[in-house]
Amino acid sequence: MSDDVPALAFDDEGLLPVVAQDVDTGEVLMLAYVDEAALARTKETGRAHYYSRSRAELWEKGATSGHTQVVSEIRIDCDGDALLYLVDQTGGACHTGYETCFYRTIDGDEVAEKVFDPEDVYG
C-alpha cells in the first residue's frame, strides 16, 4: 500500500458514503453507507455489504432480492471520506426495480430500465 493513502475519515456516526459503480459499463448504480464492520465484511467476502441507516444494521446487497454485487475493487477518495465500489451487479441495484437508483432526471423523466417488479421480490 502506498504511503500517501489517507486514513478513512468516518463521520460522527461512524459512517462513510459509498458509490457503487458497474465495473463494466461505468454506470453509477447507487449510493449507500458503510461502517467499519460493513467494510470489513465486504473485504472479507468480496460481496458488497452496507450499513442501513433506516434499520440501523449491516446488510448484504442482494441477500433478500438475489440482486447481488460482487466487488472487483474498492477505491478511496483523496480525503478518505468516501469510497467507490467497482461491482459486478446481478439484477437491479435499486429496490424500486430499476437497474440503477439514479433512474430519473430532476424533472422526473425516467432514463433507466426497470428490470424487476419489487412486489415479486419483496412481497
Side-chain angles (χ1 to χ4, degrees), residues 20-112:
Q21 182 180 26
D22 188 287
V23 69
D24 294 323
T25 67
E27 182 169 24
V28 174
L29 300 172
M30 59 183 275
L31 170 74
Y33 293 85
V34 293
D35 61 3
E36 288 186 30
L39 179 57
R41 191 84 174 119
T42 298
K43 290 169 66 175
E44 175 186 316
T45 65
R47 295 183 312 273
H49 289 74
Y50 299 102
Y51 181 82
S52 170
R53 296 179 300 163
S54 61
R55 296 187 314 262
E57 66 183 17
L58 183 140
W59 60 281
E60 179 181 346
K61 179 67 176 160
T64 302
S65 67
H67 301 166
T68 59
Q69 293 176 344
V70 175
V71 179
S72 297
E73 187 175 352
I74 300 173
R75 295 186 185 178
I76 182 173
D77 81 333
C78 58
D79 296 322
D81 61 1
L83 297 175
L84 174 67
Y85 284 0
L86 298 175
V87 302
D88 179 15
Q89 175 73 46
T90 299
C94 186
H95 72 282
T96 63
Y98 288 86
E99 60 190 354
T100 172
C101 292
F102 298 95
Y103 64 90
R104 58 189 164 194
T105 68
I106 198 156
D107 296 322
D109 297 325
E110 291 186 7
V111 294

